[in-house]
Every structure is written in C-alpha cells, then in structure tokens.
Amino acid sequence: MENLERYYKAKVDVIAAGLVALKSKCKWFILAEIVTFLLAILFIYLYFTHTLGSNWWLVSVAAMLVYACVRNLDRKNDRLIADQSALLKVYETELKYVAGDFSLLDDGERFLDMKHEFSYDLDVFGKGSLYHRISRIVTTRGGKRLAEMLSSLNHFSFQRVDAINYLSTQEDSLAKFKAEGALCIVDSDSVEEAMKKVSGLKLPDFFSSPISFIIGWVDIIGFVGSIVLSYLGLINSALPTWWGVANFFVVFMGCMGTIKRMNDVVGKLKEQLQAYIHLINLIIVLELPSDKENVAVVKHIQVMLDGAELSFAKLNGILHSLDSRNNIAGLLLFNIFGLNDLFLVRKFAKWQSMYVDKMGAWIEAVTEMDVLVSMATMKFNHPEAVEAEVVDADKLVYEARGVYHPFLGKNARKNDFTIVDHNYYIVTGANMAGKSTFLRALGVNYILAMNGLPVFADSFKVSRFRLFSSMRTNDDLTHGISYFNAELLRLKQLLKYVDNSSEEKENVPTLIILDEILKGTNSVDKLNGSRMFLEAISKKNVSGVIATHDLELSKMSDEQPSVFHNYCFEIKVGEQVTYDYLITPGVARNQNATYLLKQILEGNK
C-alpha cells in the first residue's frame, strides 16, 4: 500500500502541475484572441477610410486567420484541461482509496436487498461494502452489471481471470477509461432506451430513397445556377429569390414534424454519445499481446465494437446538426442554399437503417469493459491478494490457507480453514472474538473467486457451489413480522433455496453460513430447534459453517463425529481480555460478557 500511495501521489503531483501550466496558457490565448480580432477590425476600418494603402486589407485577413488559429488552439487547450482535470480526479480518488477513504466512490446502496441469499449478510452493497471498494464504473449499465455479478455466482470463467490480470497491468489505460466517468456517470440506460425508441421510429420512405437524394441535389444545382444566370442578367432576379423562399418553406414545413420526433428521441444524448465515442476509442486502441488466448475476452469486446466508433460519431454529428437549427440565421441560410433539413432527416434515416440494431450489442460491449476496468483496478490496488484456484468437482471443495477478511487490510489475522463436502463446522467463542468476521471472510473471498477477482489469502482452492447465509436477520414491525418470525422465514427461504438446487440437473452443492440459529427464542428452545434444523439440513447436499454461543450445540460432534466438527475463537481473561482472532479446533472455554459488564459497573461507581 505504501508503494501504491507513492505511485498515486506522484501521478497527482504531475497532473496538477501540468494543469497549472495549461490554465496559464488560457490567459495568453484569450489575450491573443482579443488582440488579433481588434487588429483585424482596425485594418478593415483603415482600409475603407483609405488611411493606409489598398493592400492593407491582406493584413486584416492575416489577422483573422491568426485569430482563427489561436481560437482553435484555445479550444484544444480547454479540452485538454477538462481531460486532465478528470484524470486528476481519478488519481485523487485512488489516493483516497489507498488511505481507506471511499467517499468519492459509488457505494451501491441502491442494490441492497435484505432478502438476498447472501449479499446483505456479507456486506456486498452499502457504505464500506465490497461493491464500494470495487466499483469504478463510468456507465449506469456498468454499475448494474457489477452488482449483478457480485450478487450471483454464475459468472466465473478462466478467460475473465486472464482479462482482469492483463488489464491490471495497463494502469494508464484504466485511468483514462475511468476519467470518462470521473465528472459525470454516463447514462447508458437513457442511451439504450432512446435506441429502442429510434428502432420503432417510423420515417417516411421518401427520405431514405434515392429519389430524395436526386431531387435534393437537382434543386441545389438549379438554384445556384439561377443565381449565376441572374447575376449575368440572363434571367429575372425574381426567379432565384422566389426559388430560395420556396426552398425554405417546402423543406422546413415538410421536415418539421419528422425532425421534432427525431429530437424528442435523441436530442438530449449529446454528452452521453461523446462519452461513448471516447470509451470505444480507448477500447479499440488498447494494444493486446500476441498471445491472444490470454486476452480473449478483451479481444472479443474489440471485435464486437467493430464499426461502433463510426456509428456513434455519425449520430453525434446528427445531434450537432439538430442543435445548430436553434440558430435562426443558420436555419434560414442552410435550408435555402443546402436543403439542410432534408439531408439531415436523410442522414438520420440512413443511420437508423444501418446501425440502430447494433447499438444494443455495442452498449453491452462497453458495459463489459466497464466492469472489467473496475475489477482490474481492484487487482492493481491489492498486489497482496492472490489468484484463486477454481477446480471442477461434483462435490464442495473449500481449502483456504491464511485467509482473512479483505476489509481489515494489514490489521487482519490470517486463518487456515478447510470445509469438507457434507460436513458442518460449529464455531464457538466469546463476543467480539472474531466469529462473525471469520464467517464473512469465508463468504466474501468466495464471491471474489467466483468473479475472477483475487482473494485475500495465502492460497485459496474452491469448487463452484451455491452460497446462502443468515447472519443479519431483521424484524419488520410494519408488516407484523417479529424477530423470531423473521428468523423462521429466513430458514424457510434457505430450505427452499437448497431444495431448488437439488432439483437442478447437476444437483449443485450448497454452502450455508449461519451466525446463531434462532436467536429470538429462549435457550432450551433455541438449542432444540438448532439441533433439529442441523440434523435435517445435513441430509441434503449441503455443507455449513455455523457460529453459536450455545456450547451445548457443540455436543453434536460427539453423536456424529464424521459430520459435525467443533472450532473456536478462544480468548484470554486476566486483568484484561486478550483476543488473538485465531480459529482452532475445539470448543471455547472462556466467555467475556460477565467480565466486561463487571468492568462497566465498577467503572460507573
């Protein structure tokens, strides 16, 4: 992390210094624009007043050309400032992330689902969550896709692992991609919704037919010809005048309704489309190693985007033309001399027929890269994490060495733990001894592994299985659901989840992670209910890790030693309570509730 902090700090310093230099140029550009513009006006005035020689009008033209060049350089400098400002924000965000500050990142709280199989219990969404740490999404669709992947375990592929590994070595490209969303997330949902409307937008066949093209150009050539003939005195000047008036009203009135419908559908997408153009270009220019098998996913995305940049650019040009119609003078001149509205609708109709059906696939490709960039950033930011070994097996495999919870960082204590198929592990220990954190570490690292992400362990070997947890049950008094009833509903959901798994053709095994069963009832009832539940669930294709304060539950290992096993987080009670957060075989002997409460009472005297 120290190396990362130095790396990001250096990036911030270099970009910040560059921005200072770029912004200082703005003053000189503005000054040069004012001077050259005033000189051009001055020389025009002097030329017409004959104060200077007749050739001085060339100086005015030269001044205007210099003004145009300076203005162009100023615009480029402004764009560069905007790009570098976005890039600076990217590195400032990463610098804060390394320091443990996620305030500039999306926490994904909108994806919270208290009834989900595991995401609520394992802190996948919300402040400080797994999503909060991973997400660097730049599109709304990318955020939804990342949330979908983290809340399901069906996306693992070795090719995705390779793609994440490769992209994590391309930090500069990752930063440029993230910069597109640093200032404003791209609303890909609006773009896709607009494309659906465009697909259903019916335009008159005339605009897409060759006849409209021929008529348009014949009219333009004829109109220009009439102006020339009128100038030469061969025809009456009234003819080009009325021809121009007719051009404007016929084209404006004939295209007005169609252009309004076009504008209603895509008129507000200019910023999003420009962002997509930039994102697509960044993906296309990404250089891949010669061994394409290791970057097959990225290569596939590039192939999917074939033709996308040109399509988005054309649509962006159409939007620019729609905006230009707000200039009344331009609307008059371009329709009179160039039948602009006719050719604008024709361009849109042509674009619609050629590209609209491909837009969904292109948005999907950018979404996939959006997610990969977030995941690759996590790998880059955590060189201490390792690649999981995912094996094909009909049974549940879970072998972890030195596993720890990723949220704890360097303060975490590592543990070794193996889960054997159809076995259950009853974990006892005092309050705050580390039971819940350990259970979450098992679940969170499995989620990471199934998404092709590195895991926080010395080694991590797992098969593919389903996951269900019950660690954070909530009552719902507005619907008349007590805490105990909520627990029962959660266990009922668990059984249904397991039974659905058994009905699948492959009969995929399930791992359940439970933190206290039936907390909402008395001790005897809780013990009997817990025993009954575990005995029933042990007959299914399920393995489990169960944390409990009820030491009596550990006696199940005496009755079925090949199925139930006892582990504990032990504490040392002396003048102070000492926690080592290490899991060991056996049943916890020491508890701390009475001791800690006694200290509180004595301190209150």
Side-chain angles (χ1 to χ4, degrees), residues 307-483:
E309 186 179 18
L310 178 61
S311 170
F312 276 96
K314 285 184 176 181
L315 183 56
N316 190 53
I318 292 170
L319 292 182
H320 183 74
S321 297
L322 285 172
D323 286 344
S324 299
R325 295 181 77 257
N326 293 325
N327 184 320
I328 302 300
L331 181 65
L332 284 167
L333 290 173
F334 287 122
N335 271 330
I336 289 172
F337 289 95
L339 308 180
N340 183 69
D341 283 0
L342 171 67
F343 286 103
L344 176 58
V345 176
R346 179 176 169 78
K347 282 181 183 177
F348 185 81
K350 189 176 180 180
W351 179 89
Q352 182 190 45
S353 64
M354 291 181 64
Y355 298 115
V356 71
D357 292 337
K358 301 177 182 179
M359 292 291 284
W362 290 333
I363 292 173
E364 180 70 16
V366 174
T367 298
E368 179 68 15
M369 180 59 77
D370 196 4
V371 174
L372 287 174
V373 167
S374 287
M375 292 181 168
T377 299
M378 182 194 178
K379 180 172 176 59
F380 180 83
N381 282 341
H382 292 281
E384 74 278 14
V386 302
E387 186 176 319
E389 180 184 356
V390 180
V391 298
D392 287 325
D394 295 332
K395 61 181 182 179
L396 186 145
V397 176
Y398 197 117
E399 299 174 11
R401 298 290 176 268
V403 69
Y404 59 99
H405 200 297
F407 297 3
L408 297 180
K410 61 183 180 181
N411 297 320
R413 296 300 298 269
K414 297 182 177 182
N415 281 290
D416 297 344
F417 201 71
T418 298
I419 302 172
V420 178
D421 190 46
H422 284 88
N423 279 237
Y424 293 80
Y425 302 83
I426 299 174
V427 182
T428 54
N431 294 297
M432 302 183 295
K435 301 187 302 298
S436 298
T437 300
F438 173 72
L439 264 58
R440 288 192 171 94
L442 297 178
V444 169
N445 278 292
Y446 184 67
I447 294 170
L448 292 173
M450 287 298 101
N451 281 283
L453 286 161
V455 296
F456 293 78
D458 295 333
S459 66
F460 196 79
K461 180 180 179 180
V462 290
S463 61
R464 304 180 204 190
F465 51 81
R466 293 165 58 123
L467 180 65
F468 194 101
S469 64
S470 182
M471 302 180 66
R472 191 179 281 144
T473 305
N474 293 291
D475 56 13
D476 187 356
L477 299 182
T478 58
H479 292 86
I481 300 175
S482 67
Y483 186 88

Side-chain angles (χ1 to χ4, degrees), residues 59-101:
V59 180
S60 176
V61 173
M64 289 303 295
L65 289 174
V66 172
Y67 169 81
C69 290
V70 173
R71 180 66 178 157
N72 186 51
L73 290 173
D74 190 19
R75 285 178 181 146
K76 288 182 178 179
N77 192 63
D78 287 342
R79 285 197 295 269
L80 195 55
I81 289 174
D83 292 342
Q84 291 299 300
S85 296
L87 199 59
L88 178 62
K89 186 174 181 181
V90 167
Y91 284 115
E92 287 176 338
T93 299
E94 297 302 343
L95 190 59
K96 284 179 174 291
Y97 173 84
V98 171
D101 181 354

Side-chain angles (χ1 to χ4, degrees), residues 280-299:
I280 290 167
N281 182 60
L282 287 171
I283 296 171
I284 291 173
V285 301
L286 187 64
E287 293 185 5
L288 303 181
S290 56
D291 185 4
K292 294 180 181 178
E293 290 185 4
N294 289 337
V295 288
V297 172
V298 180
K299 183 62 180 175

Side-chain angles (χ1 to χ4, degrees), residues 185-201:
I185 298 298
V186 182
D187 192 354
S188 49
D189 292 329
S190 294
V191 175
E192 186 169 41
E193 182 64 27
M195 291 309 105
K196 290 179 181 178
K197 292 180 180 179
V198 170
S199 180
L201 186 62

Side-chain angles (χ1 to χ4, degrees), residues 96-330:
K96 284 179 174 291
Y97 173 84
V98 171
D101 181 354
F102 315 131
S103 59
L104 298 178
L105 298 171
D106 177 18
D107 61 20
E109 192 163 357
R110 62 194 177 280
F111 301 118
L112 276 172
D113 179 5
M114 290 188 293
K115 295 182 180 180
H116 189 267
E117 299 89 70
F118 57 80
S119 67
Y120 183 67
D121 292 327
L122 301 182
D123 301 315
V124 176
F125 304 111
K127 293 187 183 301
S129 65
L130 187 63
Y131 182 96
H132 204 177
R133 286 165 164 78
I134 295 174
S135 177
R136 303 294 190 281
I137 57 102
V138 303
T139 68
T140 55
R141 180 57 59 86
K144 291 179 180 179
R145 177 62 53 78
L146 178 60
E148 175 194 342
M149 294 182 70
L150 293 178
S151 58
S152 65
L153 306 172
N154 305 317
H155 299 279
F156 178 81
S157 76
F158 292 104
Q159 289 181 334
R160 175 176 292 278
V161 176
D162 291 337
I164 293 171
N165 289 342
Y166 170 71
L167 289 173
S168 68
T169 66
Q170 308 297 308
E171 196 283 324
D172 286 342
S173 296
L174 296 180
K176 290 176 183 177
F177 193 97
K178 290 182 287 185
E180 286 300 325
L183 303 179
C184 182
I185 298 298
V186 182
D187 192 354
S188 49
D189 292 329
S190 294
V191 175
E192 186 169 41
E193 182 64 27
M195 291 309 105
K196 290 179 181 178
K197 292 180 180 179
V198 170
S199 180
L201 186 62
K202 301 297 183 183
L203 300 178
D205 294 337
F206 169 76
F207 291 110
S208 57
S209 68
I211 297 174
S212 63
F213 179 81
I214 295 170
I215 291 176
W217 278 106
V218 167
D219 180 273
I220 292 171
I221 294 170
F223 177 57
V224 172
S226 72
I227 293 174
V228 173
L229 293 175
S230 173
Y231 178 78
L232 295 174
L234 298 177
I235 62 173
N236 192 308
S237 60
L239 177 60
T241 300
W242 285 107
W243 194 329
V245 171
N247 273 354
F248 174 77
F249 281 103
V250 170
V251 172
F252 180 78
M253 298 302 293
C255 299
M256 182 174 61
T258 303
I259 287 179
K260 183 180 183 305
R261 285 185 289 149
M262 287 165 47
N263 200 51
D264 289 342
V265 172
V266 298
K268 299 178 181 179
L269 298 181
K270 190 173 181 180
E271 290 185 4
Q272 286 84 358
L273 290 174
Q274 287 177 339
Y276 265 107
I277 292 170
H278 296 156
L279 292 173
I280 290 167
N281 182 60
L282 287 171
I283 296 171
I284 291 173
V285 301
L286 187 64
E287 293 185 5
L288 303 181
S290 56
D291 185 4
K292 294 180 181 178
E293 290 185 4
N294 289 337
V295 288
V297 172
V298 180
K299 183 62 180 175
H300 177 67
I301 292 173
Q302 288 182 329
V303 171
M304 285 180 66
L305 289 173
D306 184 36
E309 186 179 18
L310 178 61
S311 170
F312 276 96
K314 285 184 176 181
L315 183 56
N316 190 53
I318 292 170
L319 292 182
H320 183 74
S321 297
L322 285 172
D323 286 344
S324 299
R325 295 181 77 257
N326 293 325
N327 184 320
I328 302 300

